[in-house]
Amino acid sequence: MNILDKIIADKFKEVELKKSLIPVSQLKNSVLFDRKCISLAENLRTGSGIIAEHKRRSPSKSVINQNLNVQDVVKGYEDADVSGISVLTDGKYFGGSLEDLLYARASVNLPVLRKDFMIDEYQILEAKAYGADVILLIAAVLTEKQLIHLANSAKSLGMDVLLEVHNEEELKKSLKVNADMIGVNNRNLKTFEVSIDNSKNLAKLIPDEFVKVSESGISNTEAIADLKNYGYQGFLIGENFMKTDDPGASAREFIRNLKSIG
C-alpha cells in the first residue's frame, strides 16, 4: 500500500464517521452555506496568479510550520496580493482541520480552496458550510464517473472546481468534467519526487477552456516566468512560504519579484 492508498482508506472511514455525527441538514443550515462564492478561476486570470497555501506538515516533509495561527498566515497572504488561498483540512497526514477553513474564511476576502482528498459529496457540502469557494478533485483517486458527479455537485452550489492530474492518462479522463481549472501536480504522489517538467509536458494537452494551474515544487519566480510560456495562469505554492517564520512577508517578496520580471 503506498501513502496515497493509506490516506484514501483513512478518508473513507473519517467521512463515514462524520456522516454519523453531523447530518447534511445541519451543514445546509450553516450561516455560510448560502454565501456567494468568489471565483478563483477569475482571480487567476486577472491577478498575480499565486495560490498561497496554509500547510502545517505533510507525509513527505513531516513538520513544515506548526508555530503560526491560520488567521495571521492568510491575512499576510492577502496583504501580499495573492489570487487565492489554499487551506489543508486533512488532519491525520497534514495537521489541518475544517476549523482552519472557517478561520481563513473569517479573515480574508479572497477565494478559499478546501484542499483535501474529496471522495464523497458530503465533503463538498462540508466545504460550502465552512466557507470554501473552491474544491479540489484528484483524478488519481477518483473514476471519471465520480469526478463528473462531484464536480457537478460543487458547481450546483456555486463553487469553482480545481481538478488535479499527474499524467496524461488522468488528464484524458478529466476532460469531460465540469471543472474551471486543471492543476498539474509536479509531485509524484507515489514517490513524492518533484519536477516542474510535468507541467510543461502536459500543458499542450489541456484545452484552453480550463485555467491551467501548476502545483508543487515551485520555489522561484523564474520557474513561474517559464511556466507562463506554456499557458499557465495559476501557481500553487505552499511549502516555499510556510517554511519561513513569516509566510505573508515571504509571499509579498516573491510576488514583488514576479511583477518586476513582468
Side-chain angles (χ1 to χ4, degrees), residues 219-249:
S219 57
N220 57 62
T221 51
E222 290 74 23
I224 289 180
D226 193 10
L227 287 165
K228 281 184 175 179
N229 295 326
Y230 291 81
Y232 284 90
Q233 293 175 291
F235 310 92
L236 185 82
I237 303 176
E239 247 157 67
N240 196 50
F241 300 149
M242 284 301 296
K243 67 187 180 187
T244 67
D245 292 333
D246 189 338

Side-chain angles (χ1 to χ4, degrees), residues 49 105 120 156 168 202 234 260:
R105 173 74 287 142
D120 192 294
S156 73
E168 195 171 336
L202 291 180
S260 72

Side-chain angles (χ1 to χ4, degrees), residues 6 15 40 60 74 83 93 119 122 132 147 168-169 200 225 238:
K6 281 185 193 157
V15 172
L40 176 61
S60 63
V74 299
S83 290
Y93 295 92
I119 49 159
Y122 182 85
L147 287 168
E168 195 171 336
E169 184 189 351
K200 295 179 186 178

Side-chain angles (χ1 to χ4, degrees), residues 58-125:
S58 75
S60 63
K61 286 279 169 73
S62 138
V63 173
I64 298 165
N65 192 332
Q66 304 207 118
N67 303 323
L68 305 170
N69 70 48
V70 67
Q71 304 94 298
D72 292 342
V73 172
V74 299
K75 198 75 192 74
Y77 284 156
E78 184 175 50
D79 293 344
D81 203 22
V82 303
S83 290
I85 287 168
S86 166
V87 177
L88 259 300
T89 59
D90 176 80
K92 182 172 180 181
Y93 295 92
F94 291 87
S97 69
L98 280 167
E99 280 64 38
D100 287 339
L101 192 59
L102 203 57
Y103 288 135
R105 173 74 287 142
S107 305
V108 298
N109 192 31
L110 282 172
V112 177
L113 162 74
R114 178 187 184 183
K115 195 171 183 197
D116 209 318
F117 298 85
M118 310 297 266
I119 49 159
D120 192 294
E121 193 173 352
Y122 182 85
Q123 294 166 288
I124 295 170
L125 297 171

